[in-house]
RNA sequence: GCGAGUGUGGUAUAGCGGUUAUUACUCCAACCUUCCAAGUUGGAAACAGGGGUUCGAUUCCCCUCACUCGCACCA
């Protein structure tokens, strides 16, 4: 587990405008979280970096953004509609909740007590809704409980539009919804959350090779998010715990404040999903090799990332408490490319109009260039540095009296707290690197 | 969902059947400050929500909501 407490992270997120409780002013809504200005910046930076890494910089990837509402047949074919609607009973002796069809001989499989169960109740993990004005059986739909199906349902469209060489992948980022029994641990388990998923279509002969490559690519990505190697653990999921269609699954676990817990999954899903669609629709899901080889239904490797879990892991990894000049400080040592604020600009003193004027000029220049730039003239200079440290701003640019003479400013580094002098004209180039 | 616990400004906290509801930090304004949370002055800001008991409830009781811990759940 991490040595940062969850309270520390939650409090920082609230105080500095990263993440707030959903519907907080009305008393909250369990399992929902709202992102503030810095949180949404951090989250987007992570998501964009993922997209850049796995889609834009590759030649074998296709992005999609499918609708959250889908034809209910999708969930019937995938098994979700059945799996999410099992009647459950509770053992009145040991309070275990059990699927009714798992109770044999009217005995509790956990404590062995016979015949003492609550009435069966429906537990729907999917949020149900009705599409259109008439509420009947045919209008039922669900908020998607995973984004993957939006990829599988577009597999054939991608084939028709692009006919990519196999192996190729389809990537998607988007919201998913699960009516969790008990949302827990900050944003870790929420009812509304965001996923970044890839379905990588392969020739079944190559699955082991592709799986290993994904393992490597994922690890590289996690390093670039700033997660130290020792904080991520690959858990080979044993056959008994895997989904029935999966031949191999690795859970990438992270040392969160609450526990070592899942950050993302890498699963070999075989042809389960495409075969289901083929069965349900009668449409041919085969891929025809361009070299005239025998058509086949591709198999799939699925790397599936939880966005909020990544945000949390990045925050936990970046958080540090150290000392500067004998004073304690808390600092987010975020990788620069993920930081919500790229650079903060300050006048050394705010009661000197000439400094303020110059600082405003520099601020406007940088703002136009980078966008995520903050102007800060609160309190004194040391205080501003600490404020920026706490939200992970990698650099602070300070305008002082020398600036007025020679057009140079100081750039102060977040991690080392060291300062260098640089010409204003070089600023943009320097900060970009 | 079950069991246990918690809920006071943005954060962290003190407190009580009748208070002007404590303190610190943060925040805002002013002064000051020539590089790492300095100082002075002023200001904003809270008893989770709803019922009940009571002359009077932030305090006691009930319900709801949220959070924490354990169990279960995580297809």
């Amino acid at each position: 587990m991490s040595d940062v407490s969850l309270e520390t992270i939650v409090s920082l997120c609230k105080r500095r405008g990263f993440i707030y409780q959903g519907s907080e002013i009305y008393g909250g809504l369990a399992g929902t979280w709202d992102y503030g200005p810095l949180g949404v910046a951090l989250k987007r930076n992570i998501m964009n970096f993922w997209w850049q890494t796995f889609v834009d910089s590759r030649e074998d990837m296709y992005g999609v953004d499918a609708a959250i509402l889908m034809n209910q047949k999708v969930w019937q074919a995938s098994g979700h509609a059945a799996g999410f609607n099992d009647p459950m009973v509770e053992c009145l002796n040991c309070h275990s909740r059990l699927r009714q069809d798992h109770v044999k001989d009217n005995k509790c499989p956990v404590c062995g007590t016979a015949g003492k169960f609550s009435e069966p109740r429906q537990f729907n993990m999917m949020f149900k809704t009705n599409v259109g004005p008439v509420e009947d059986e045919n209008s039922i739909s669900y908020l998607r409980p995973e984004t993957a199906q939006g990829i599988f349902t577009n597999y054939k469209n991608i084939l028709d539009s692009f006919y990519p060489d196999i192996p190729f992948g389809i990537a998607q980022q988007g919201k998913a919804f699960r009516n969790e029994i008990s949302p827990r641990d900050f944003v870790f388990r929420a009812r509304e959350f965001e996923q970044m998923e890839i379905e990588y279509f392969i020739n079944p002969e190559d699955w082991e090779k592709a799986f290993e490559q994904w393992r490597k690519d994922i690890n590289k990505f996690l390093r670039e998010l700033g997660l130290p190697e020792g904080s991520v653990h690959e858990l080979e999921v044993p056959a008994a715990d895997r989904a029935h269609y999966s031949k191999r699954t690795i859970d990438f676990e992270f040392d969160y404040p609450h526990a070592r817990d899942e950050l993302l999954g890498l699963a070999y899903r075989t042809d389960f999903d495409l075969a289901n669609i083929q069965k349900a629709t009668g449409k041919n899901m085969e891929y025809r090799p361009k070299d005239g080889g025998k058509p086949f239904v591709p198999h799939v490797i699925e790397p599936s990332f939880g966005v909020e879990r990544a945000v949390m892991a990045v925050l936990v990894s970046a958080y540090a408490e150290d000392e500067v000049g004998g004073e304690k400080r808390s600092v987010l040592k975020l990788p620069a490319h993920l930081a919500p604020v790229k650079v903060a600009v300050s006048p050394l003193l705010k009661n000197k109009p000439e400094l303020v004027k110059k600082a405003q000029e520099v601020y406007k220049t940088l703002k136009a260039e980078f966008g995520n730039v903050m102007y800060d003239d609160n309190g004194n200079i040391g205080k501003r540095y600490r404020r920026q440290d706490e939200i992970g701003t990698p650099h602070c640019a300070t305008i002082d009296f020398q600036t007025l003479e020679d057009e140079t400013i100081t750039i102060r580094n977040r991690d080392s707290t060291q300062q260098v002098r640089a010409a204003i004209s070089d600023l943009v180039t320097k900060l970009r690197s």
Side-chain angles (χ1 to χ4, degrees):
Chain A
M1 286 196 356
S2 161
D3 52 5
V4 187
S5 77
L6 192 59
E7 286 82 11
T8 305
I9 298 294
V10 174
S11 169
L12 173 66
C13 285
K14 174 90 197 288
R15 229 167 357 96
R16 301 309 307 271
F18 283 87
I19 301 173
Y20 309 112
Q21 169 76 53
S23 311
E24 189 183 25
I25 206 160
Y26 285 103
L29 179 65
T32 63
W33 299 91
D34 295 346
Y35 282 75
L38 299 185
V40 71
L42 175 63
K43 187 169 88 156
R44 282 194 182 170
N45 286 346
I46 291 172
M47 293 175 75
N48 289 343
F49 179 59
W50 184 92
W51 194 266
Q52 182 196 319
T53 302
F54 292 118
V55 183
D56 287 344
S57 69
R58 295 176 61 132
E59 296 174 5
D60 57 350
M61 284 289 177
Y62 298 82
V64 295
D65 184 12
I68 288 173
L69 295 172
M70 303 182 83
N71 189 310
Q72 58 169 303
K73 287 175 185 165
V74 169
W75 307 114
Q76 288 158 9
S78 70
H80 287 85
F84 273 62
N85 285 300
D86 292 317
M88 308 281 281
V89 295
E90 187 174 319
C91 171
L92 298 177
N93 182 53
C94 69
H95 299 293
S96 300
R97 164 147 315 114
L98 310 151
R99 268 171 61 169
Q100 194 176 20
D101 59 348
H102 286 181
V103 176
K104 295 195 178 98
D105 307 325
N106 203 29
K107 262 172 109 174
C108 173
V110 177
C111 70
T113 308
K116 289 176 155 178
F117 295 102
S118 66
E119 289 297 305
R121 296 170 66 177
Q122 291 294 125
F123 287 91
N124 295 305
M125 289 289 283
M126 287 199 291
F127 286 96
K128 194 192 266 183
T129 188
N130 291 277
V131 177
V134 184
E135 294 192 11
D136 62 18
E137 279 296 304
N138 295 323
S139 72
I140 291 173
S141 186
Y142 304 91
L143 302 186
R144 62 184 179 196
E146 62 168 35
T147 58
Q149 293 305 319
I151 294 179
F152 290 120
T153 51
N154 281 295
Y155 157 82
K156 204 160 166 39
N157 286 333
I158 300 292
L159 276 195
D160 291 344
S161 302
F162 299 92
Y163 225 91
D165 290 324
I166 214 159
F168 69 95
I170 304 179
Q172 175 172 231
Q173 300 182 332
K175 295 257 188 178
F177 304 82
R178 295 183 195 181
N179 208 348
E180 294 285 352
I181 293 170
S182 69
R184 281 283 166 95
D185 305 314
F186 197 33
V187 297
F188 184 85
R189 177 171 288 110
R191 293 202 164 111
E192 175 176 344
F193 58 101
E194 202 144 12
Q195 293 185 306
M196 306 184 282
E197 291 195 306
I198 293 161
E199 304 302 334
Y200 197 67
F201 298 91
I202 54 167
N203 186 319
E205 289 168 8
D206 300 329
W207 81 265
E208 280 160 309
K209 202 180 81 194
F211 196 94
E212 277 312 308
Q213 188 57 49
W214 274 108
R215 223 176 130 179
K216 283 198 193 110
D217 293 348
I218 287 168
N219 273 304
K220 180 161 178 283
F221 175 75
L222 296 181
R223 290 300 87 71
E224 288 167 345
L225 284 186
L227 315 194
E229 198 157 353
S231 67
V232 177
H233 311 273
E234 293 184 23
L235 177 70
E236 189 77 46
V237 180
D241 298 342
R242 286 198 299 263
H244 61 281
Y245 50 76
S246 175
K247 284 212 182 134
R248 188 177 181 199
T249 299
I250 291 179
D251 281 349
F252 287 72
E253 298 191 315
F254 179 78
D255 290 320
Y256 290 100
H258 67 276
R260 179 177 296 182
D261 215 333
E262 188 181 347
L263 167 63
L264 68 101
L266 175 63
Y268 172 36
R269 286 174 81 121
T270 67
D271 62 352
F272 178 77
D273 301 277
L274 291 184
N276 274 342
I277 293 178
Q278 189 160 292
K279 214 181 304 165
T281 65
K283 305 257 166 66
N284 185 1
M285 292 293 121
E286 286 180 330
Y287 176 87
R288 280 178 295 111
K290 289 170 182 172
D291 61 7
K294 197 169 170 252
F296 59 93
V297 175
H299 281 214
V300 163
I301 307 284
E302 178 195 74
S304 172
F305 297 71
V307 174
E308 291 80 1
R309 292 177 179 191
V311 170
M312 210 167 146
V314 166
L315 284 171
V316 168
S317 300
Y319 185 84
E321 288 172 1
D322 58 15
E323 284 195 4
V324 174
E327 297 274 358
K328 266 184 67 175
R329 71 160 181 173
S330 40
V331 52
L332 285 183
K333 298 188 173 180
L334 295 169
H337 67 285
L338 300 181
V341 178
K342 184 163 190 66
V343 55
V345 181
S346 294
L348 181 60
L349 300 172
K350 78 167 166 180
N351 64 347
K352 297 286 186 288
E354 62 276 26
L355 290 184
V356 171
K357 183 164 171 282
K358 193 72 196 167
Q360 283 284 351
E361 273 175 43
V362 174
Y363 165 68
K364 289 203 163 70
T365 308
L366 293 179
K367 179 86 180 159
E369 187 64 32
F370 297 114
N372 53 346
V373 179
M374 196 179 269
Y375 184 82
D376 192 355
D377 63 2
N378 175 295
N380 59 53
I381 190 70
K383 200 162 174 172
R384 286 172 228 153
Y385 289 157
R386 301 302 172 84
R387 281 149 57 97
Q388 295 301 325
D389 287 342
E390 200 180 28
I391 61 171
T393 307
H395 299 288
C396 292
T398 302
I399 282 71
D400 58 19
F401 293 96
Q402 195 181 327
T403 310
L404 302 176
E405 291 165 17
D406 64 4
E407 292 283 313
T408 64
I409 60 160
T410 60
I411 303 175
R412 181 258 193 189
N413 180 284
R414 176 194 67 202
D415 298 339
S416 68
T417 76
Q418 296 302 304
Q419 305 184 85
V420 294
R421 260 206 115 73
I424 291 177
S425 52
D426 293 341
L427 253 187
V428 169
T429 330
K430 273 207 149 60
L431 288 171
R432 183 166 281 139
S433 59

